[in-house]
Amino acid sequence: MRLGVIGCGNMGGAMLRKLLASEKFAPDQIIAADKNAELLKTLESQLHICITTNNADAAAADVLLLAVKPQYLSGVLAEIAPHLNPDALVISIVLGYSLAKLGEEMQNEKLHIIRVMPNTPALVGEGVMAACRGKYVTDAEWEYALSLLSCMGLAEEIPENLIDAVTGVSGSSPAFMFLFLEALADAGVRAGLPRDTSIRFAAQTMLGSAKLALETGKHPGQLKDMVTSPAGSTIEGIASLEKNAFRGAVIEAADAVVRRSKEFSK
């Protein structure tokens, strides 16, 4: 199996590295295409893969990962359409391009296409890879695709009509997490902790809290109550967050992402 990657920026490059690290592909089975020649030289030097600035060279692979920016995808698809392997498994992480639109612009609506909404924790193997299955994707191809995506974190199927919601909950929300992390670390510094210690403690607490939620399966409210004693310090902090509309602000932020994501799809 040969892997073609078109677009080797943050997400495309991260996915490429994870697939290599998992040994799903050997370096000589991968061809990476990008218009940034310096980036390609770095990938070639570090990963020993084949590189090209010609997208058509990568389009004939057995598995094709599309990871370009939305504003460039139409041009890329027009460029590669004549060179596509008709039996290829195409995985797209491009925001705003539906399965139907991808098939239409690739001039083959029967292509085996999977649409994925990833997030940046995929860089460390802890991402969310929400995937939508095209109607011509076989069961074997689907299982294979999930095995590839699982190298980067949680890989799970969702209906395509919910992909905008996923963008709000996991696609863009790492930025919200980092904003909260930075603010919490600032509070630690304000209280006297050294900056590096405060960031480390706050980040580990965020990581541990997420792991606790996933591994126990308990409702977040239950886990919150486990920390909250009557007339204690935690409830004072929670009361302050509620006073400042913390939960409402988070919901509004996710809603804003969902609205913007839907605009990209039009």
Coordinates of all heavy atoms in Angstrom, one line a residue, residues 61-133:
A61 N -1.6 7.3 -5.4 CA -1.4 6.4 -4.3 C -2.6 5.6 -4.0 O -3.7 5.9 -4.4 CB -0.9 7.2 -3.0
D62 N -2.4 4.5 -3.2 CA -3.6 3.6 -2.8 C -4.4 4.3 -1.7 O -5.6 4.1 -1.7 CB -3.0 2.3 -2.3 CG -2.2 1.6 -3.3 OD1 -2.7 1.2 -4.3 OD2 -0.9 1.5 -3.1
V63 N -3.7 5.0 -0.8 CA -4.4 5.8 0.2 C -4.0 7.3 0.0 O -2.8 7.6 0.0 CB -4.1 5.3 1.6 CG1 -4.8 6.2 2.7 CG2 -4.4 3.9 1.8
L64 N -4.9 8.2 -0.1 CA -4.6 9.6 -0.3 C -5.2 10.4 0.8 O -6.4 10.4 1.1 CB -5.2 10.1 -1.6 CG -5.0 11.5 -2.0 CD1 -3.5 11.8 -2.1 CD2 -5.7 11.9 -3.3
L65 N -4.3 11.1 1.5 CA -4.7 12.1 2.6 C -4.7 13.5 2.1 O -3.6 14.0 1.6 CB -3.7 11.9 3.8 CG -3.9 12.9 4.9 CD1 -5.3 12.8 5.6 CD2 -2.8 12.8 6.0
L66 N -5.9 14.1 2.1 CA -6.0 15.5 1.7 C -6.0 16.4 2.9 O -6.9 16.3 3.8 CB -7.3 15.7 0.9 CG -7.4 15.0 -0.4 CD1 -8.8 15.2 -1.0 CD2 -6.4 15.5 -1.4
A67 N -5.0 17.2 3.0 CA -4.8 18.1 4.2 C -4.4 19.5 3.9 O -3.7 20.2 4.6 CB -3.7 17.5 5.1
V68 N -5.0 20.0 2.8 CA -4.7 21.4 2.4 C -5.8 22.3 3.0 O -6.8 21.9 3.5 CB -4.8 21.5 0.8 CG1 -3.7 20.6 0.2 CG2 -6.1 21.2 0.3
K69 N -5.5 23.6 2.9 CA -6.4 24.6 3.5 C -7.7 24.7 2.5 O -7.5 24.5 1.3 CB -5.7 26.0 3.6 CG -4.6 26.0 4.6 CD -4.1 27.4 4.8 CE -2.9 27.4 5.7 NZ -3.2 26.9 7.1
P70 N -8.9 24.9 3.1 CA -10.1 24.9 2.3 C -10.0 25.8 1.1 O -10.6 25.5 0.0 CB -11.1 25.4 3.3 CG -10.6 25.1 4.7 CD -9.1 25.2 4.5
Q71 N -9.4 27.0 1.2 CA -9.4 27.9 0.1 C -8.6 27.5 -1.1 O -8.7 28.0 -2.2 CB -8.9 29.3 0.6 CG -7.5 29.4 1.1 CD -7.5 29.2 2.6 OE1 -8.3 28.5 3.2 NE2 -6.6 30.0 3.3
Y72 N -7.8 26.5 -0.9 CA -6.9 25.9 -2.0 C -7.4 24.6 -2.5 O -6.9 24.1 -3.5 CB -5.5 25.8 -1.5 CG -4.8 27.0 -0.9 CD1 -4.2 27.0 0.3 CD2 -4.9 28.2 -1.6 CE1 -3.6 28.1 0.8 CE2 -4.3 29.4 -1.1 CZ -3.7 29.3 0.1 OH -3.1 30.5 0.6
L73 N -8.4 24.0 -1.9 CA -8.7 22.6 -2.2 C -9.3 22.5 -3.6 O -9.0 21.6 -4.4 CB -9.7 22.0 -1.2 CG -10.0 20.5 -1.4 CD1 -8.7 19.7 -1.3 CD2 -11.0 20.0 -0.5
S74 N -10.2 23.4 -4.1 CA -10.8 23.3 -5.4 C -9.7 23.3 -6.5 O -9.8 22.4 -7.4 CB -11.7 24.5 -5.7 OG -12.9 24.4 -5.0
G75 N -8.7 24.1 -6.4 CA -7.6 24.1 -7.3 C -6.8 22.8 -7.3 O -6.4 22.3 -8.3
V76 N -6.6 22.3 -6.1 CA -5.8 21.0 -5.9 C -6.6 19.9 -6.5 O -6.1 19.0 -7.3 CB -5.5 20.8 -4.5 CG1 -5.0 19.3 -4.3 CG2 -4.5 21.8 -3.9
L77 N -7.9 19.8 -6.3 CA -8.7 18.7 -6.8 C -8.8 18.8 -8.3 O -8.8 17.7 -9.0 CB -10.1 18.8 -6.2 CG -10.3 18.6 -4.7 CD1 -11.7 18.6 -4.3 CD2 -9.6 17.3 -4.3
A78 N -8.9 20.0 -8.9 CA -8.9 20.1 -10.4 C -7.6 19.6 -10.9 O -7.5 18.9 -12.0 CB -9.2 21.5 -10.8
E79 N -6.5 19.8 -10.2 CA -5.2 19.4 -10.6 C -5.0 17.9 -10.6 O -4.3 17.3 -11.5 CB -4.1 20.1 -9.7 CG -2.7 19.8 -10.0 CD -1.8 20.4 -9.0 OE1 -2.2 21.2 -8.2 OE2 -0.5 20.1 -9.0
I80 N -5.5 17.3 -9.5 CA -5.2 15.9 -9.3 C -6.2 14.9 -9.9 O -6.0 13.7 -10.1 CB -5.0 15.5 -7.8 CG1 -6.3 15.7 -7.1 CG2 -3.9 16.4 -7.2 CD1 -6.2 15.2 -5.6
A81 N -7.4 15.4 -10.3 CA -8.5 14.6 -10.7 C -8.1 13.6 -11.8 O -8.4 12.4 -11.7 CB -9.7 15.4 -11.1
P82 N -7.4 14.0 -12.8 CA -7.0 13.1 -13.9 C -6.0 12.0 -13.5 O -5.9 11.0 -14.2 CB -6.4 14.0 -15.0 CG -6.9 15.4 -14.6 CD -6.9 15.4 -13.2
H83 N -5.4 12.2 -12.4 CA -4.3 11.3 -11.9 C -4.7 10.4 -10.8 O -3.9 9.6 -10.3 CB -3.1 12.1 -11.5 CG -2.7 13.1 -12.6 ND1 -1.9 12.8 -13.7 CD2 -2.9 14.5 -12.7 CE1 -1.7 13.9 -14.4 NE2 -2.3 14.9 -13.8
L84 N -6.0 10.5 -10.3 CA -6.4 9.7 -9.2 C -6.5 8.3 -9.5 O -6.9 7.8 -10.6 CB -7.8 10.2 -8.7 CG -7.8 11.5 -7.9 CD1 -9.3 11.9 -7.7 CD2 -7.2 11.3 -6.5
N85 N -6.1 7.5 -8.5 CA -6.3 6.0 -8.6 C -7.8 5.8 -8.3 O -8.3 6.1 -7.2 CB -5.4 5.3 -7.5 CG -5.6 3.8 -7.4 OD1 -6.5 3.3 -8.0 ND2 -4.8 3.2 -6.7
P86 N -8.5 5.2 -9.3 CA -10.0 5.1 -9.1 C -10.3 4.1 -7.9 O -11.5 4.2 -7.4 CB -10.5 4.5 -10.4 CG -9.2 3.9 -11.0 CD -8.1 4.7 -10.6
D87 N -9.4 3.3 -7.5 CA -9.7 2.4 -6.4 C -9.1 2.9 -5.1 O -9.1 2.2 -4.1 CB -9.1 1.0 -6.7 CG -9.7 0.4 -7.9 OD1 -10.9 0.4 -8.0 OD2 -9.0 -0.2 -8.7
A88 N -8.6 4.1 -5.1 CA -7.9 4.7 -3.9 C -8.9 4.9 -2.7 O -10.1 5.1 -3.0 CB -7.2 6.0 -4.2
L89 N -8.4 4.9 -1.5 CA -9.2 5.3 -0.3 C -8.7 6.7 -0.1 O -7.5 7.0 0.2 CB -8.8 4.4 0.8 CG -9.5 4.8 2.2 CD1 -11.0 4.7 2.1 CD2 -9.0 3.9 3.3
V90 N -9.6 7.7 -0.2 CA -9.3 9.1 0.0 C -9.8 9.5 1.4 O -11.0 9.3 1.7 CB -10.0 9.9 -1.1 CG1 -9.7 11.4 -0.9 CG2 -9.6 9.5 -2.5
I91 N -8.9 10.1 2.2 CA -9.2 10.6 3.5 C -9.0 12.1 3.5 O -7.9 12.6 3.2 CB -8.3 10.0 4.6 CG1 -8.6 8.4 4.6 CG2 -8.6 10.6 5.9 CD1 -7.6 7.7 5.5
S92 N -10.1 12.9 3.7 CA -10.0 14.3 3.7 C -10.2 14.9 5.1 O -11.1 14.5 5.8 CB -11.1 14.9 2.8 OG -11.2 16.3 2.9
I93 N -9.3 15.8 5.5 CA -9.5 16.5 6.7 C -9.8 18.0 6.5 O -9.6 18.9 7.4 CB -8.3 16.4 7.7 CG1 -7.0 17.1 7.1 CG2 -8.0 14.9 8.0 CD1 -5.9 17.2 8.1
V94 N -10.2 18.3 5.3 CA -10.4 19.7 4.9 C -11.8 20.2 5.3 O -12.9 19.6 5.0 CB -10.3 19.9 3.3 CG1 -10.5 21.3 2.9 CG2 -9.0 19.3 2.8
L95 N -11.8 21.3 6.1 CA -13.0 21.9 6.7 C -13.9 22.4 5.6 O -13.5 23.0 4.6 CB -12.6 23.1 7.6 CG -13.8 23.8 8.2 CD1 -14.5 22.9 9.2 CD2 -13.2 25.1 8.9
G96 N -15.2 22.1 5.7 CA -16.2 22.6 4.8 C -16.5 21.9 3.6 O -17.4 22.2 2.8
Y97 N -15.8 20.8 3.3 CA -16.0 20.0 2.1 C -16.7 18.7 2.4 O -16.2 17.8 3.0 CB -14.7 19.7 1.4 CG -14.3 20.8 0.4 CD1 -13.8 22.0 0.8 CD2 -14.4 20.6 -1.0 CE1 -13.4 23.1 -0.1 CE2 -14.1 21.6 -1.9 CZ -13.6 22.8 -1.4 OH -13.3 23.8 -2.3
S98 N -18.0 18.7 2.0 CA -18.8 17.5 2.3 C -18.3 16.3 1.4 O -17.6 16.5 0.4 CB -20.3 17.7 2.0 OG -20.5 17.9 0.6
L99 N -18.8 15.1 1.7 CA -18.4 13.9 0.9 C -18.9 14.1 -0.5 O -18.2 13.8 -1.5 CB -19.0 12.7 1.6 CG -18.5 12.3 2.9 CD1 -19.4 11.2 3.6 CD2 -17.0 11.7 2.7
A100 N -20.1 14.6 -0.6 CA -20.7 14.8 -2.0 C -19.9 15.8 -2.8 O -19.6 15.6 -4.0 CB -22.2 15.3 -1.9
K101 N -19.5 16.9 -2.1 CA -18.8 18.0 -2.8 C -17.4 17.5 -3.2 O -16.9 17.8 -4.3 CB -18.6 19.2 -1.9 CG -18.1 20.4 -2.6 CD -18.1 21.6 -1.7 CE -17.5 22.9 -2.3 NZ -17.5 24.0 -1.4
L102 N -16.8 16.7 -2.4 CA -15.5 16.1 -2.7 C -15.5 15.2 -3.9 O -14.7 15.3 -4.8 CB -14.9 15.3 -1.5 CG -14.4 16.1 -0.3 CD1 -14.2 15.2 0.9 CD2 -13.0 16.8 -0.7
G103 N -16.5 14.3 -3.9 CA -16.7 13.5 -5.1 C -17.0 14.2 -6.4 O -16.4 13.9 -7.4
E104 N -17.8 15.3 -6.3 CA -18.1 16.1 -7.4 C -16.9 16.8 -8.0 O -16.7 16.7 -9.2 CB -19.2 17.1 -7.0 CG -19.6 18.0 -8.2 CD -20.6 19.1 -7.7 OE1 -21.2 18.9 -6.7 OE2 -20.7 20.2 -8.3
E105 N -16.1 17.4 -7.1 CA -14.9 18.1 -7.6 C -13.8 17.2 -8.0 O -12.9 17.7 -8.7 CB -14.5 19.2 -6.5 CG -15.5 20.2 -6.3 CD -15.0 21.5 -5.8 OE1 -13.7 21.7 -5.9 OE2 -15.7 22.3 -5.2
M106 N -13.8 16.0 -7.5 CA -12.8 15.0 -8.0 C -13.2 14.3 -9.2 O -12.5 13.4 -9.7 CB -12.5 14.1 -6.8 CG -11.8 14.7 -5.6 SD -11.7 13.6 -4.2 CE -10.0 13.2 -4.3
Q107 N -14.4 14.7 -9.7 CA -14.9 14.2 -11.0 C -15.2 12.7 -11.0 O -15.1 12.0 -12.0 CB -13.9 14.6 -12.2 CG -13.7 16.0 -12.3 CD -12.6 16.4 -13.3 OE1 -12.4 15.6 -14.2 NE2 -12.0 17.5 -13.1
N108 N -15.4 12.2 -9.8 CA -15.8 10.8 -9.6 C -16.6 10.6 -8.3 O -16.0 10.5 -7.3 CB -14.5 9.9 -9.6 CG -14.8 8.4 -9.6 OD1 -16.0 8.0 -9.3 ND2 -13.8 7.6 -9.8
E109 N -17.9 10.6 -8.4 CA -18.7 10.6 -7.3 C -18.8 9.2 -6.6 O -19.4 9.0 -5.6 CB -20.1 11.1 -7.6 CG -20.1 12.5 -8.0 CD -21.5 13.1 -8.3 OE1 -22.5 12.4 -8.1 OE2 -21.6 14.2 -8.8
K110 N -18.1 8.2 -7.3 CA -18.1 6.9 -6.7 C -16.7 6.6 -6.0 O -16.5 5.4 -5.7 CB -18.4 5.8 -7.8 CG -19.8 5.9 -8.3 CD -20.1 4.7 -9.3 CE -21.6 4.8 -9.7 NZ -21.9 3.7 -10.7
L111 N -15.9 7.6 -5.9 CA -14.7 7.4 -5.1 C -15.0 7.0 -3.7 O -16.0 7.3 -3.1 CB -13.9 8.7 -5.1 CG -13.0 9.0 -6.4 CD1 -12.4 10.4 -6.3 CD2 -11.9 7.9 -6.6
H112 N -14.0 6.2 -3.1 CA -14.1 5.8 -1.8 C -13.5 6.8 -0.9 O -12.3 6.9 -0.7 CB -13.4 4.4 -1.6 CG -13.9 3.4 -2.6 ND1 -13.6 2.0 -2.4 CD2 -14.6 3.4 -3.7 CE1 -14.2 1.3 -3.3 NE2 -14.8 2.2 -4.1
I113 N -14.4 7.7 -0.3 CA -14.0 8.9 0.4 C -14.4 8.8 1.9 O -15.6 8.4 2.2 CB -14.6 10.2 -0.2 CG1 -14.2 10.2 -1.7 CG2 -14.0 11.4 0.5 CD1 -14.8 11.4 -2.4
I114 N -13.5 9.2 2.8 CA -13.8 9.3 4.2 C -13.5 10.8 4.6 O -12.4 11.3 4.2 CB -13.0 8.3 5.0 CG1 -13.5 6.9 4.7 CG2 -13.1 8.6 6.5 CD1 -12.7 5.8 5.3
R115 N -14.4 11.4 5.3 CA -14.2 12.8 5.8 C -13.9 12.7 7.2 O -14.6 12.1 8.0 CB -15.4 13.6 5.5 CG -15.3 15.1 5.8 CD -16.6 15.8 5.5 NE -16.6 17.2 6.0 CZ -17.7 17.9 6.0 NH1 -18.9 17.5 5.7 NH2 -17.5 19.2 6.4
V116 N -12.9 13.5 7.7 CA -12.4 13.4 9.1 C -12.3 14.8 9.6 O -11.8 15.7 9.0 CB -11.1 12.7 9.2 CG1 -10.6 12.6 10.7 CG2 -11.2 11.3 8.6
M117 N -12.8 15.0 10.9 CA -12.5 16.2 11.6 C -11.6 15.9 12.7 O -11.9 15.2 13.7 CB -13.8 16.8 12.2 CG -13.6 18.0 13.2 SD -12.6 19.3 12.5 CE -13.6 19.9 11.1
P118 N -10.3 16.2 12.6 CA -9.3 15.9 13.6 C -9.1 17.1 14.5 O -9.8 18.1 14.4 CB -8.0 15.7 12.8 CG -8.2 16.7 11.6 CD -9.7 16.9 11.4
N119 N -8.3 17.0 15.5 CA -7.9 18.1 16.3 C -6.4 18.0 16.6 O -5.7 17.0 16.4 CB -8.7 18.3 17.6 CG -8.6 17.2 18.6 OD1 -7.8 16.3 18.4 ND2 -9.4 17.2 19.6
T120 N -5.8 19.1 17.1 CA -4.3 19.2 17.2 C -3.7 18.2 18.3 O -2.5 17.9 18.1 CB -3.9 20.6 17.6 OG1 -4.6 21.1 18.7 CG2 -4.1 21.5 16.4
P121 N -4.4 17.7 19.3 CA -3.8 16.7 20.2 C -3.4 15.5 19.4 O -2.7 14.6 20.0 CB -4.9 16.5 21.2 CG -5.6 17.8 21.3 CD -5.7 18.3 19.9
A122 N -3.8 15.3 18.2 CA -3.3 14.2 17.3 C -1.8 14.2 17.2 O -1.2 13.2 17.0 CB -4.0 14.3 15.9
L123 N -1.2 15.4 17.4 CA 0.2 15.5 17.3 C 0.9 14.7 18.3 O 2.1 14.2 18.1 CB 0.7 17.0 17.5 CG 0.7 17.9 16.3 CD1 -0.7 18.2 15.8 CD2 1.5 19.2 16.6
V124 N 0.3 14.4 19.5 CA 0.8 13.6 20.5 C 0.1 12.3 20.7 O 0.2 11.6 21.8 CB 0.9 14.4 21.9 CG1 1.9 15.5 21.8 CG2 -0.4 14.9 22.3
G125 N -0.7 11.9 19.7 CA -1.5 10.7 19.8 C -2.7 10.7 20.7 O -3.2 9.6 21.0
E126 N -3.2 11.9 21.0 CA -4.3 12.0 21.9 C -5.4 12.8 21.3 O -6.2 13.5 21.9 CB -3.9 12.6 23.2 CG -3.0 11.7 24.1 CD -3.6 10.5 24.6 OE1 -4.8 10.3 24.5 OE2 -2.9 9.6 25.1
G127 N -5.5 12.7 20.0 CA -6.5 13.5 19.3 C -7.9 12.9 19.2 O -8.1 11.8 19.7
V128 N -8.9 13.6 18.7 CA -10.2 13.1 18.4 C -10.3 13.1 16.8 O -10.1 14.1 16.2 CB -11.3 13.9 19.0 CG1 -12.7 13.5 18.5 CG2 -11.3 13.9 20.5
M129 N -10.5 11.9 16.3 CA -10.6 11.8 14.8 C -12.0 11.3 14.5 O -12.3 10.1 14.5 CB -9.6 10.8 14.3 CG -8.2 10.9 14.9 SD -7.4 12.5 14.6 CE -7.0 12.3 12.8
A130 N -12.9 12.3 14.3 CA -14.3 12.0 14.0 C -14.5 11.8 12.5 O -14.1 12.7 11.7 CB -15.2 13.2 14.5
A131 N -15.0 10.6 12.1 CA -15.0 10.2 10.7 C -16.4 10.0 10.2 O -17.2 9.4 10.8 CB -14.1 9.0 10.6
C132 N -16.6 10.4 8.9 CA -17.8 10.2 8.2 C -17.5 9.3 7.0 O -16.5 9.6 6.2 CB -18.4 11.5 7.6 SG -18.5 12.8 8.9
R133 N -18.3 8.3 6.8 CA -18.0 7.2 5.8 C -18.8 7.5 4.5 O -20.0 7.6 4.6 CB -18.3 5.9 6.4 CG -18.3 4.7 5.4 CD -18.6 3.4 6.2 NE -18.6 2.3 5.3 CZ -18.8 1.0 5.7 NH1 -18.9 0.8 7.0 NH2 -18.8 0.0 4.9

